[in-house]
Amino acid sequence: MLSVELHAHSSLSYDGRDPVELLLAQAQAVGLDALAVTDHDEIDASLEAAELAPEYGLVGIPGMEVTSAAGHVLAFGIEELIPEGLSYDDTLDHIHDQGGIAVVPHPFQSSRHGVASHITRDQLARADAIEVYNSRLFTGRANRKAERFAAAHNLPMTAGSDAHIGEMVGQAVTEVGTDDRSVQGILDAIVEGRTSVVGRRTPWRISFRQFGGGIRRRIERVVSDLV
């Protein structure tokens, strides 16, 4: 059984704060086996993290959080950037064309670019797995709805911290039923449904700090682009 963080953002994300070395160090400190850095519509930091991961005793899973026309989709096991703005179905096709897997995060949280309100339930069921526990929750209702959907459609379930600062890596992890410490071994086990989720709510003060920091960094990037 491997403990895997499948949803974390580095400073390459518009709303992330820390470099990949800090994310890797935190993953090592809390005893994880693998980490996927999933920046918004960026992949370079994730590829860097995957390369550095063995130095921290970790498996580094390359990936990203793609902004499809319907909302966010996590792509794992890819090596090339998936374009943003594609339809949900085309996004999944691009991920699969690279041999990757598509996991839908926070699908029922429309305020956080969840896809469910913009696609059919049959389309949602095309995903390889559903994130059923996201640490950045307020009531837990959306997580429970995601879990019910995954169970009703016999879809694998994952968890993710959705960490935007290093210390939140490991708040929610996916326990993957495999002893194969490789990217492919982990992804195969997820697709086969050999997962369980373990998670804790991100503390309110951290959620607000992450939110405020994201706004500040977005403004800084806009100003930088203008000058």
Side-chain angles (χ1 to χ4, degrees):
M1 184 76 72
L2 302 180
S3 295
V4 184
E5 170 67 81
L6 288 173
H7 198 163
H9 298 271
S10 80
S11 55
L12 188 59
S13 278
Y14 65 83
D15 53 358
R17 187 191 71 184
D18 295 327
V20 295
E21 289 85 356
L22 287 182
L23 306 186
L24 290 163
Q26 172 70 7
Q28 180 187 45
V30 298
L32 297 182
D33 296 294
L35 168 69
V37 173
T38 54
D39 288 320
H40 293 290
D41 302 310
E42 301 280 2
I43 196 173
D44 289 350
S46 187
L47 297 177
E48 179 187 2
E51 185 175 342
L52 292 173
E55 299 178 17
Y56 295 81
L58 299 166
V59 178
I61 302 171
M64 62 183 291
E65 188 166 12
V66 187
T67 305
S68 77
H72 290 171
V73 179
L74 293 169
F76 299 111
I78 61 170
E79 298 291 336
E80 298 177 5
L81 192 75
I82 305 294
E84 62 181 295
L86 299 175
S87 72
Y88 172 83
D89 290 318
D90 284 347
T91 298
L92 264 60
D93 288 342
H94 274 66
I95 294 169
H96 293 152
D97 285 346
Q98 288 195 42
I101 71 170
V103 177
V104 178
H106 46 73
F108 295 99
Q109 289 182 280
S110 57
S111 62
R112 296 176 59 203
H113 306 284
V115 303
S117 60
H118 302 288
I119 61 174
T120 68
R121 293 301 184 259
D122 285 343
Q123 286 177 294
L124 182 55
R126 282 195 61 209
D128 297 298
I130 300 292
E131 182 188 81
V132 302
Y133 191 92
N134 183 289
S135 278
R136 296 179 65 193
L137 57 95
F138 289 100
T139 66
R141 179 174 177 271
N143 281 342
R144 292 191 294 273
K145 194 170 182 180
E147 184 173 3
R148 288 195 298 270
F149 180 87
H153 292 80
N154 197 31
L155 289 167
M157 303 182 192
T158 70
S161 300
D162 206 350
H164 288 69
I165 56 178
E167 56 262 44
M168 287 298 99
V169 169
Q171 280 290 110
V173 300
T174 305
E175 298 286 352
V176 181
T178 182
D179 294 322
D180 184 348
R181 291 179 62 88
S182 70
V183 172
Q184 196 60 54
I186 291 169
L187 297 185
D188 286 346
I190 291 173
V191 171
E192 292 166 9
R194 289 184 275 129
T195 63
S196 57
V197 302
V198 180
R200 302 185 304 279
R201 181 198 302 265
T202 299
W204 293 111
R205 59 183 177 80
I206 299 294
S207 289
F208 286 124
R209 191 200 312 170
Q210 290 184 145
F211 179 74
I215 292 175
R216 184 184 70 251
R217 285 184 287 276
R218 277 191 287 261
I219 293 172
E220 290 171 349
R221 293 194 182 192
V222 169
V223 172
S224 176
D225 289 343
L226 290 176
V227 300

